[in-house]
Amino acid sequence: MSLIPDDVIEQVREAADLVGIIGEQVELKRTGADFRGPCPFHGGTHRNFAVIPKKGMFYCFVCHEAGDVFTFFMKRLGMDYPTAVREVARRVGITIPERGPAGPDPHEPLYSVVATAADWFARQLRESPEAEVARQYLGSRQLDLETVLPLGLGYAPRGTAFLDAMKGLGLRDDVLLEAGLVVKREDGTLLPRFRGRLLFPIHDQRARIVGFGGRILGEGEPKYLNSPDTPIFHKGKLLYNLHVAKHAMRKADRAIVVEGYFDVLRLSLAGVEEVVAPLGTGLTADQAQLVKRHAAHAVLLYDSDEAGLRATFRAGDELLRERLRVSVATLPAGEDPDTLVRQRGAAGLETILKDAVDVFERKIQILDRKGFFATLPGRRRALDRLLPTIRAAADPITRELYISRAAEVAGVRKDVLEREVGTGLEARGSGLGTSEPRAPSPEPRAIPASAEKALLLLMLEGDPWKARVTEAVDAEEFEFVPYREVFEAIADDAVLSLSETSARAYEELKAEGLDDRDPNALYERAVNWIEARRLQRQLEDLDRRLPFESPDGQAALIAEKRRVFDELRKRYPRYKIAMRRRGAPGT
Ligand SMILES: [Zn+2]
């Protein structure tokens, strides 16, 4: 047996005539976009067995057998996966290259145990009395069981029934552990990882279930819990629903990226198939690459609140780095894709998608609405926010357009801006993670970081401090990248999605705590520092621009410099003193 390359499997799956193949064994009749017939698995006589060509899958509403063209052969004829692929390939006339003896996939036991667990969870959702809470929850979101069961949703009960069931099926503890389905307590006993949760199965590109996302039902933390990373589940490298969406993505040449599982569900039930979501975290570079593999255009459809916008532009930058065209669709305030489709239907959604604007243009709109372009310092700060997106645009034409547009709205010369974009590029690749690093600052890091840290310590005290800090500073103002990520995570209530480094920073901050420090004084000092640094940065930018201006322009810049300098000295006299002590340049 040999391993068949993924792209070949994909080719075979896409070429396969699912209706034709299943139709050889089942008498199918068209009903709308799907086909129905008697189920060959439980031997039914009514038309409870559906073949859904658009999703490339079959599903029985009685015995709940489900799968794709390959699983059909596996389940009907007892073939293993590679044999099923070869059989379908033979029928569609695709030659599968032999790649020598590679042996069976070493992760086969993991796939198998996760699939078994998924079946069991799905049965709980259908049948168990305890799952009534999950069924009611779905009902409250206007999703009926008939609709979600074919999508493989499940329920994980609160107790240890899962452990008993898996044991009864002869599954080994170590495999359950490795698959991330159970956790080991300190005393060595095992506990199901998912308890009291509605489960969304997460598939890899070959449509195999590799993990779960679980939403809590009732009170409890966290709201969403994913499988941990395992040899087959890497949450930063998978997209929810991609195994279904990729066909539609290729056809429509666009991908709609949403934030949550329910958004995906709602959109695909409304007939929009090309929809994917990251797994409870910000979109990663790997995920952006996955999108790129199937479509050239991405539409971001996130909430319109502050947190949603931050996530939108983060994701936008990642997608721009992959040379995608990126648009932002804007939902009415307070709505998410789920509520929107429920209230206005697919037509309402289509209108919003049609009105999507380019991500860069959207950023300008928002800055404009906040009054950034009304003053010179405001324009400077606006540019600081536009630059990361310009730098992210890996496509040279897109970048050129962005530079022209930014020069126009901020009233700066294009060549000056081009130079500044270039400066940032040289500073890239400094190993600061996925965020766009800013140009290296001449300031020493220790003091700014302690101001940044003070703000985070305050946020960890909860409201009202959290609200005050998020009001006073933006994420971009955190220079220390792990702190910036912690800031965003606390602001968005998403600390579980932190990267490893940032999670460590978060834990350290939590361990440190405020102690007996006076929060008011701490807040005052830290915000002053950040504000002073903002002004200091303005001065540096003015200095950089100076040599490139006409004499008139230089006079204006010098006047502006004077003003900023005075403000800095007047409002934050101690800033300069601290800088001098540290021997910073230019003092
Ligand atoms: Zn059946």
Side-chain angles (χ1 to χ4, degrees), residues 39 41-42 60 62-64:
C39 174
F41 294 101
H42 77 275
C60 171
V62 175
C63 71
H64 308 287

